[in-house]
Amino acid sequence: MGTLPHAFSLFALILLLTSGTGADQSTKTQAIFKGSARIGAIVDTSSRIGKEEIVAMEVAKEDFYGFGNLTFLLINDSQKDTIHAALEAKDLIDTRQVQAIIGPQTWEEVSLVAEIARETQVPILSFADTAPEWAPERWPSLLQASPDKRAQMKAIAAIVQSWNWHQVIVIYEDTDSSARGVIPHLHDALREVNSEVSQFVAFSPFASSDSISKELENIKSKQYCRVFVVHLSFKLAVRLFEMAKNMEMMKKDYVWITTDPFTSLVHSINASVISSMKGILGVRSYYPKMGQHFENFNQRFRTRFSRKYPREEKKEPGIYAVQAYYAMRTIALGLNKTGSKRGGKELLENILDADFHGLSGEVKFKNQNVAAAEIFEIVNIVIGTGYKELGYWSNGLGFSEDIHENSIYNSSMIDLGQVYWPGGPRCTPRGWTALTSAKRLRIGVPSMSGYKEYVNVDDRLGTNFSGFSIEVFKATTESMKMECDDCMPSFPLYEFQYFNGSYDKLVEQIHLKNFDAVVGDVEIVSSRYQYAEFTNPYTETGLVLIVPARSSSKAWSFVKPFTTTMWVLISVITVYNGFVVWWIERKHCDELQGSIPNQIGIMIWLSFNTLFSLNGPKLHSNLSRMSGVVWLFVALIIIQTYTANLTSMLTVQRLEPTIPSVEELLNSNAMVGYCTGSYMERYLAEVLKFKSQNLLHFRSAASYAKGFEDRNISAAFLGTPYAKIFLAKYCNRFIQIGPTYKIGGFGFAFPRGSPLLASVNEALLKISENGTLQELEKTWITPQKCPEMQSESSSLGPSGFRVLFFITGGTTTIVFVIYVCRTNLVRHKNIWGIISAVLKRWFSPRRHFTRRVANVEIPPKAFPEAPVPLA
């Protein structure tokens, strides 16, 4: 509740001083207003909002005169003072005995007025920005008559997202309604669109010009961000913009976005005042300015407003006038149901039952709050006409140029048309800028990098910075150009400064404000995020294992063209094909007869002989010839492939690792080297489970090679960028094995929340897509040309020969089935004979089919054999 306890104490003191006169006044007033319905209002009569509300309520009184005996509209002036507003509320309730009160405008005033009306339960229709969630429970008669500002904060976030601004500064009025009601919703809405509030700046409602100027100067000198969201009362906002113009903060690169308290009154700003606000983008509640009902209200309002406030140049009504008008209508309808002599709880219930459609939207209460606004208007203050309406934003739909059933909606407001920005319409503001034109960004560079290809700091003739990382950063900043030709480069001026120390300490310098960014071969590591944020990696990410390589032994090279599975499959197919040929030809060739060992040997010889010769004239059956031809065709392809692969293996040197896998390295308890960075030691020990005492730190490629040469280490883990350099330098002496562990990668470091980060990431993508990054990599990182090597097994498996094996195996099987079927058909005359013979053999005693029974020779005539013709 913020200032509420202090306000109550002051109010209690005033009540004690004034309590004596209240009873007499109440008695006199009851006589005057007896039988009449009365509505009270508490407004700031000196403000534009108060003036519009007064005129709108007077117009409403004319329209609803007589509803529930509505006769009197009693308006009291809050005089911009919380305590005075409370006294006026006590006067309206106790003395003038009003049935309901409209206003006031701020939550501080509303909370005191609601407390006074708590016992009598006089309905209070508040116009404050918002009300706490606990307010309805404490003050049942308090109704929020102005729409909730939550959706408006989403509209502002959508504008920020449209222009890809990732950082904003929020300037708000230090009141309870802003600090606790509006600003948290704005913060949440911005986070939903991946934007953050880099700074909150709170101004007192009575802030002096000096305090405002001091805060603006502080922002200008210490913040990169140039996107401002302003949630201030109208008069305070006008003072802010006048000072901002004087301080040259209404120029190019600045963005000013305003909310309802200011934007809904831009129609009332005089030409002399609005000249300091050119380029402001504003969001305000929408109501249609068309139709007979609006034209009637607008004409009557302007006439009465001109007569009542002749010094005001602008006469048209705004959203506050519309809300006051419908607040009067809501109460009048409730009085019409209740009657003039009744109020309090019964009137409150009738008001809560209100359900009608007004100019500003639906008037219907839910949880003592009027229906939230869903449509907001986007306006832009321009030269000459004052302001123009760019379009609309609808909650859940997006931006549109107009509001009707066939409106086309977009998620971005870019399509709404040209925006007049501070400094002119040509350049879309970046949303950030360098602190001052004289101050350069300090870019930290590691001076102790062991890989000069990435970062090389040469201080012999003045400090010179070169290397792949440096050139990538330069190319990135150069690509960050604005869309228009006369705009300044997007990236601030900078200078490189070297740093002698560890990489962790280097990144920490950003947190300590010693550097504004860090560029170099800096790994992206989670532990460093407490000090800075990183861009997307501009190198490959990963950690690989490097081990010494050795030439493989050639003693068994003749079996390596094919895999073991391939050799087994060739043997099986060969033996199967030979068996089928032997089976078909065995009765026609005496050489295929003989003892069982002799026939097995002949069958195997016949199998492998067909790999090199068809032996066509020696085969008697066309079926065996068919099988042999197909197998010989397949065998020729296999032999030629074998010969080619074996020649390649014997000609090209093949490397194999001295340690085949990470698992074997772990089990061997060997010493392992790792590259720069304490995070690497933690990763190897905690994730890959290497013993800490087995880990040695090396800084450069030369030190690694020396460690291998002296046998201090058996293997080394390097980041992928470093591994490229190392393997290129020591060609064919080392080899990469095992998986690539996805960690690390090089990135540029910036302060946490830096508005530069998103733009740098976008620029990195651009130089990657247009080929610049690849060209730089060729210039600085491309490996030296090495003699051709084979580091992986090139043995061929059966997958490439699958179809051939199916063809030869299928052909041989078909041949064998045809031979068996034809042979049995000749013997048994027909298929039924074959079936009968099979059944007879199955069910008959075994002795009937044996030529020798009990060692007695059975005459051959007992088993006549049918002649077997040539197939």
Side-chain angles (χ1 to χ4, degrees), residues 690-706:
F690 283 92
K691 296 178 181 179
S692 298
Q693 60 268 27
N694 290 350
L695 300 176
L696 291 178
H697 172 258
F698 293 89
R699 186 174 298 279
S700 65
S703 61
Y704 272 117
K706 181 67 174 174

Side-chain angles (χ1 to χ4, degrees), residues 502-691:
S502 69
Y503 282 73
D504 286 341
K505 292 293 183 181
L506 172 60
V507 176
E508 188 179 0
Q509 299 308 304
I510 296 178
H511 177 69
L512 298 175
K513 308 295 184 183
N514 294 325
F515 289 134
D516 299 305
V518 166
V519 170
D521 52 343
V522 180
E523 297 269 6
I524 301 173
V525 186
S526 61
S527 61
R528 294 172 180 168
Y529 265 85
Q530 61 182 313
Y531 304 122
E533 288 187 78
F534 290 87
T535 63
N536 296 330
Y538 58 87
T539 62
E540 294 181 49
T541 61
L543 180 68
V544 297
L545 178 61
I546 304 297
V547 299
R550 63 187 176 192
S551 298
S552 60
S553 173
K554 295 185 178 181
W556 290 91
S557 296
F558 68 92
V559 299
K560 292 184 178 179
F562 291 146
T563 62
T564 303
T565 304
M566 183 69 177
W567 283 118
V568 171
L569 191 57
I570 291 173
S571 300
V572 170
I573 291 293
T574 300
V575 171
Y576 175 63
N577 183 72
F579 167 77
V580 172
V581 172
W582 170 80
W583 182 267
I584 295 174
E585 297 290 333
R586 73 187 191 284
K587 294 186 179 296
H588 309 290
C589 183
D590 294 338
E591 295 177 358
L592 304 180
Q593 305 285 335
S595 63
I596 292 177
N598 182 60
Q599 292 191 50
I600 291 175
I602 292 174
M603 182 187 68
I604 294 174
W605 169 85
L606 185 64
S607 299
F608 288 94
N609 185 50
T610 54
L611 282 171
F612 310 101
S613 174
L614 179 60
N615 296 317
K618 297 181 180 181
L619 298 178
H620 297 79
S621 173
N622 288 332
L623 293 175
S624 58
R625 290 174 185 149
M626 182 186 300
S627 174
V629 165
V630 174
W631 173 236
L632 182 61
F633 169 73
V634 174
L636 287 174
I637 294 176
I638 292 175
I639 290 171
Q640 292 298 322
T641 304
Y642 172 85
T643 303
N645 202 22
L646 179 60
T647 302
S648 174
M649 288 184 171
L650 295 176
T651 304
V652 180
Q653 184 182 3
R654 179 172 173 267
L655 294 178
E656 63 182 20
T658 55
I659 300 175
S661 66
V662 177
E663 290 74 17
E664 186 164 329
L665 180 63
L666 276 168
N667 296 332
S668 67
N669 204 33
M671 298 299 293
V672 177
Y674 66 92
C675 57
T676 303
S678 58
Y679 82 94
M680 188 71 70
E681 182 179 5
R682 292 194 301 269
Y683 184 83
L684 294 177
E686 297 174 5
V687 180
L688 299 186
K689 306 304 180 183
F690 283 92
K691 296 178 181 179

Side-chain angles (χ1 to χ4, degrees), residues 703-725:
S703 61
Y704 272 117
K706 181 67 174 174
F708 280 116
E709 184 179 344
D710 296 341
R711 299 185 181 276
N712 293 328
I713 54 174
S714 301
F717 281 95
L718 285 84
T720 303
Y722 294 145
K724 283 185 176 182
I725 301 295

